[in-house]
Amino acid sequence: MPELPEVETVKRGLAPFLEGRQIVQAVALRPDLRFPLPDGFSQRLTGRVVVCVKRRAKYLLIGFDDGATLISHLGMSGRFRIYEGEFPALQKHDHVIFKTDQGAEVRYNDPRRFGFMKIANAGDLFDHPLIKSIGPEPLSDDFNAKKLAQALKDRHSPIKSVLLDQTVIAGLGNIYVSEVLFRAGISPKRKAANISGVRINKLYNAIVDVLSQAISVGGSTISDHKQPSGELGYFQNSFGVYGREGAACSNCNCNILETGGVRRIKQSGRSTFYCANQQR
DNA sequence: CGGCAAACCTGCGAGC
DNA sequence: TGCTCGCAGGTTTGCC
């Protein structure tokens, strides 16, 4: 589920139920996520008041009144879900529960357990090894076409893999990199350093547009990703290429007979989707 | 530095 | 029906 737009959607869904609320109970049902939950996890969080819910790259950050921050990564299959009023039986793979002083429950469910939670002590967040080397937030004022050009100019790997590098730019994952390159008309195989001039601007605009549009519709629901409210995301309906191997790309309708339509290739072990007719 | 495979773990759909 | 295979939104590590 979780690339930047999905994590942002989770953040926006959780914030109204957590900010200003006291955690009256933090329950660790299963401590062996990708990393073990921190020592004393429940004790450290129970009784704390949440002061803010934020996102950095694909990390959800929950700040508490003692200055500590819960750093949560959703891995491939992590989900947060809010319950209030009705509390259905625990589901398979529910691993962590936060109960608030307003009687709501926030449950973390993660079948594959690639997700994890860590706690940064007061003042340690920005020096935390998980946080400090992350690249610029693509939707912040801190990021622009010039900085993108700077970041790419010495990179000789394919642009696909460079954009997946979280130290270059924060938050892009396998789906959105394919979609961004499609909209920018850039081949995923092109060397990053060979992108300049007009192409840089197209790429920058595609990154901002794709991520913004995805956030505005609650992210992408591929299998069963849901927003914390239970509502689905809808950006998958706007995919130009992802998961559409063999189909005519949404721009072309084109010479599908000559190009074979949307192609799927493997780059550094992961599927890339693109239209050879539109992306150079 | 680069690319690739494997590792972590579970579930699902396709094909036989 | 049941088995095996390949695939999946991420990231790290180790090996050429």
Side-chain angles (χ1 to χ4, degrees):
Chain A
M1 181 251 300
E3 301 180 35
L4 187 155
E6 288 74 35
V7 181
E8 179 67 23
T9 298
V10 170
K11 185 207 88 171
R12 294 182 185 188
L14 292 182
F17 291 87
L18 289 181
E19 283 181 347
R21 307 295 8 127
Q22 184 180 43
I23 304 300
V24 295
Q25 195 181 5
V27 185
L29 296 166
R30 175 153 191 174
D32 56 330
L33 304 182
R34 176 168 146 212
F35 307 121
L37 288 176
D39 288 339
F41 178 82
S42 299
Q43 294 85 331
R44 288 179 74 178
L45 300 184
T46 295
R48 298 267 64 82
V49 173
V50 175
V51 295
C52 60
V53 180
K54 299 193 174 191
R55 178 192 59 74
R56 176 77 171 105
K58 299 170 189 170
Y59 291 104
L60 186 72
L61 305 175
I62 300 178
F64 295 97
D65 56 348
D66 62 350
T69 305
L70 180 72
I71 304 173
S72 169
H73 195 293
L74 281 57
M76 292 279 259
S77 56
R79 285 149 214 163
F80 280 96
R81 184 75 191 270
I82 295 164
Y83 298 95
E84 51 177 348
E86 260 180 73
F87 301 96
L90 290 182
Q91 296 179 6
K92 200 174 182 183
H93 309 303
D94 279 345
H95 303 314
V96 175
I97 305 176
F98 300 112
K99 301 182 183 182
T100 77
D101 58 356
Q102 286 187 321
E105 284 191 15
V106 173
R107 299 184 187 176
Y108 178 71
N109 181 288
D110 187 354
R112 295 179 71 181
R113 282 184 285 125
F114 287 174
F116 60 87
M117 296 184 191
K118 289 185 179 277
I119 298 175
N121 291 320
D124 290 351
L125 180 63
F126 297 117
D127 280 330
H128 195 283
L130 291 170
I131 303 296
K132 67 177 179 188
S133 56
I134 296 175
E137 282 292 323
L139 299 182
S140 75
D141 296 339
D142 200 33
F143 184 66
N144 53 47
K146 197 174 173 183
K147 286 194 176 174
L148 178 62
Q150 189 67 23
L152 300 186
K153 79 175 177 50
D154 294 324
R155 294 298 205 114
H156 297 283
S157 302
I159 185 64
K160 160 77 187 296
S161 43
V162 172
L163 290 178
L164 282 177
D165 183 341
Q166 300 296 298
T167 68
V168 171
I169 177 171
L172 290 175
N174 208 41
I175 291 177
Y176 292 102
V177 166
S178 278
E179 291 301 312
V180 160
L181 290 173
F182 170 63
R183 294 214 191 179
I186 296 171
S187 166
K189 296 188 275 194
R190 176 177 284 269
K191 278 185 184 174
N194 289 348
I195 298 173
S196 58
V198 174
R199 277 203 175 87
I200 284 286
N201 289 317
K202 281 188 170 179
L203 180 56
Y204 171 76
N205 288 328
I207 290 169
V208 172
D209 290 351
V210 166
L211 294 177
S212 305
Q213 289 169 24
I215 290 170
S216 72
V217 296
S220 301
T221 296
I222 301 283
S223 53
D224 57 356
H225 150 64
K226 288 181 179 173
Q227 304 185 37
S229 61
E231 194 187 346
L232 303 177
Y234 296 98
F235 192 71
Q236 68 282 0
N237 299 326
S238 301
F239 284 173
V241 289
Y242 187 85
R244 307 190 65 232
E245 181 181 14
C249 94
S250 62
N251 258 357
C252 266
N253 283 330
C254 57
N255 48 2
I256 184 169
L257 291 178
E258 295 96 86
T259 65
V262 174
R263 298 182 186 178
R264 178 170 71 163
I265 59 172
K266 285 275 185 191
Q267 289 178 292
S268 39
R270 311 198 65 194
S271 289
T272 302
F273 297 88
Y274 74 108
C275 173
N277 191 46
Q278 301 249 337
Q279 296 175 246
R280 302 298 166 91

